[in-house]
Amino acid sequence: MPFQKIQPQKLAEAVDHQIEELILQGILRPGERLPAERDLAERLGVSRPSLREAISSLQDKGLLEKRAGAGIFVTEVLGSAFSNALVTLFASHDRAVADYVNFRRDMEGLAAQRAASCASDTDLKVIDTIFQKMEKAHAAGDDRLEAQLDAEFHLSIMEASHNVVMLHMMRSMFELLQRGVFYNRQAMFDQETTATTMLEQHRAINDALQLRNPQKAREACEVHMDYVAGCLEAQRTREENEIVASLRLSHELGITSSSGTDAS
C-alpha cells in the first residue's frame, strides 16, 4: 500500500520555514540583521541548537549570511535578479530609462489596483504612515529623505498587493534605481515645483487606496509615472541643448580669439 508513517516536523525545519516565509513575503528585507541568537530563540520558543541548525540550513540556501562580529543578516540577494552585464547595458543606453519607467507604470498600476481590492486595513495603514512621513520630509525640505520615502511608498503598495513575485521583481528594480543605474531620483526632488507636484500625485494614489477604489488607484499611479517620464525627457532635452549651446559658445570664443589675433 502507498502509505508511509507521518514524520513529525523537526523544530529546526519549522524555524527554517518561518524565516523563509518572512523573507518571501518581504517582511525580512535584504541586508536586515536578525535578532541575537538568545533573543530569537526565545521569540520562536525553540532551543538554541535547533535555531543554529535552521540558520545553518538557510545559510546553505544562500538566504542568510554570517558577518564576523556583526551577526546574522538576510543576504543581499536583490542584485542577483540582473546580471552585471545587463546592469552595465542598462546604464549605458537611454532606451533602458524609458523602458524602465514604462515597466514601472504597468506593474505599479496593477499593484495599486490589486492593493485597493485585497490589501488589509493594516496594509493601508502602512502606506498612509509612509505618506505622512513624506509630507513631513517635504515640509522640512529634506530632499534626500523624501526621495527615500518615495521608494518606500511605492514598495509598500507592492507589498500590499500580496504578489510575492511582483514584490521581489520590483525590489530588484528599485535596487538598481538606488544605485543610479537608471536616473538620479533625488535630483527630481531638488526642484521645488517637481517635488510638490509629485507629493500631490502620491497623495492622490494614497487617497484612492484608502478609499479602496481600484480604478482610481491604478489611474493615479499611471498619471504619476507619466509625469516622471515627462520630467526625465525634459531633463534629457535640457542636457542635449546645453551641450549644443556649449559647442556654440566655444566656437564663438574661438572666432573672437582668432579675429583678435589677426587684427594685431
Side-chain angles (χ1 to χ4, degrees), residues 130-147:
I130 295 173
F131 176 72
Q132 290 178 35
K133 290 181 180 179
M134 289 179 67
E135 285 186 306
K136 293 178 181 178
H138 181 78
D142 192 336
D143 300 332
R144 183 177 297 277
L145 178 58
E146 190 173 4

Side-chain angles (χ1 to χ4, degrees), residues 33 59 65-73:
R33 183 181 182 277
Q59 286 179 283
E65 62 180 355
K66 185 175 183 178
R67 299 179 189 174
I72 304 296
F73 293 78

Side-chain angles (χ1 to χ4, degrees), residues 206-222:
N206 185 49
D207 287 348
L209 289 169
Q210 301 304 324
L211 291 172
R212 294 188 176 277
N213 188 319
Q215 189 58 35
K216 283 191 176 181
R218 180 165 192 158
E219 290 174 355
C221 266
E222 291 173 346

